[in-house]
Amino acid sequence: MKLAEQSQLKQIYQLFEESFIPSELRLFDSFLQLFYNHEFKIYIEEKDLQIIAALIVWEFNDYIFLENFAVNKKIRGQGIGGIFLETLKDIYPNHFMVLEVEENKNELTNRRIQFYQRHQWCLNSFHYKQPSFRKNIDGEELYMMSYPHLLSHEQFLNIKSDLFHRVYQCHCQKESEK
């Protein structure tokens, strides 16, 4: 696992396009601009000069946020995603981490949640509607997962507000969880 270079951004974005629905993926121009934000990092794994996995991380003072994480469909189930998560713990050994998952509504979303739980991530009961990265597309209903422990209600509200402003760049009215 290593940090991505600018020349790899198109290939990384293609991997994300294959893995995420449009409301969960920012447009390429925005993705490209964020590459120069000091809080925004992209970690990758390569095999034969092809990017086989990529992970976007936001480095904030109080926590680390995992925005998008994708493994090439052809090699899923071979342990690469788990290696990424464990390596991330080594890179940020004393950091609290959060990520978002869709509500458990089908086999795929259930497998995603279980994957993170196998790596000691905790599923919090707080949920909210994610602001969409695209106009005229509704956001998704999401739950927050955290490592190494559950969030308090106050932590959840603070992190959610922070994500809405810094990651989603949504300056909308503060929305409370359902």
Side-chain angles (χ1 to χ4, degrees):
M1 188 162 103
K2 66 179 186 176
L3 285 171
E5 298 173 13
Q6 181 186 358
S7 62
Q8 298 169 310
L9 291 180
K10 284 187 179 178
Q11 192 179 115
I12 294 166
Y13 194 78
Q14 287 174 341
L15 176 63
F16 287 147
E17 282 184 310
E18 294 169 2
S19 302
F20 292 94
I21 60 175
S23 66
E24 294 179 329
L25 186 63
R26 61 182 78 244
L27 296 171
F28 182 75
D29 288 343
S30 175
F31 180 74
L32 180 61
Q33 288 176 342
L34 282 172
F35 187 74
Y36 301 102
N37 180 324
H38 72 280
E39 296 172 322
F40 183 88
K41 306 275 188 269
I42 305 172
Y43 291 96
I44 61 166
E45 186 65 39
E46 290 179 291
K47 184 175 183 180
D48 301 326
L49 299 176
Q50 291 296 311
I51 295 172
I52 58 171
L55 169 65
I56 294 176
V57 171
W58 288 82
E59 297 176 342
F60 298 131
N61 290 334
D62 300 335
Y63 64 96
I64 304 299
F65 173 62
L66 283 61
E67 180 180 324
N68 292 117
F69 181 28
V71 174
N72 184 303
K73 291 177 184 180
K74 295 176 185 173
I75 58 168
R76 286 185 191 155
Q78 297 180 21
I80 293 188
I83 292 168
F84 247 72
L85 285 183
E86 296 306 315
T87 303
L88 196 66
K89 292 175 189 176
D90 294 337
I91 293 171
Y92 302 103
N94 301 310
H95 288 78
F96 186 72
M97 294 187 244
V98 295
L99 58 82
E100 299 165 323
V101 292
E102 290 177 64
E103 61 183 328
N104 188 357
K105 58 187 174 188
N106 58 43
E107 179 63 29
L108 179 61
T109 56
N110 183 48
R111 281 197 338 251
R112 285 180 184 151
I113 291 168
Q114 288 178 348
F115 165 76
Y116 290 112
Q117 288 175 325
R118 283 193 304 275
H119 292 279
Q120 293 80 47
W121 286 74
C122 304
L123 180 62
N124 293 271
S125 60
F126 314 116
H127 57 99
Y128 54 95
K129 190 165 199 153
Q130 170 200 40
S132 176
F133 282 117
R134 313 224 181 171
K135 292 179 181 178
N136 303 320
I137 298 177
D138 285 338
E140 293 296 313
E141 190 70 27
L142 299 177
Y143 283 84
M144 203 170 280
M145 294 189 79
S146 54
Y147 173 85
H149 55 76
L150 289 169
L151 298 169
S152 70
H153 186 256
E154 183 179 346
Q155 284 175 310
F156 165 73
L157 291 176
N158 289 336
I159 289 171
K160 179 183 164 222
S161 176
D162 198 31
L163 294 179
F164 273 45
H165 293 305
R166 295 167 85 176
V167 173
Y168 296 114
Q169 299 177 351
C170 172
H171 303 288
C172 49
Q173 183 179 4
K174 191 173 181 177
E175 176 186 308
S176 61
E177 80 290 348
K178 293 181 182 178

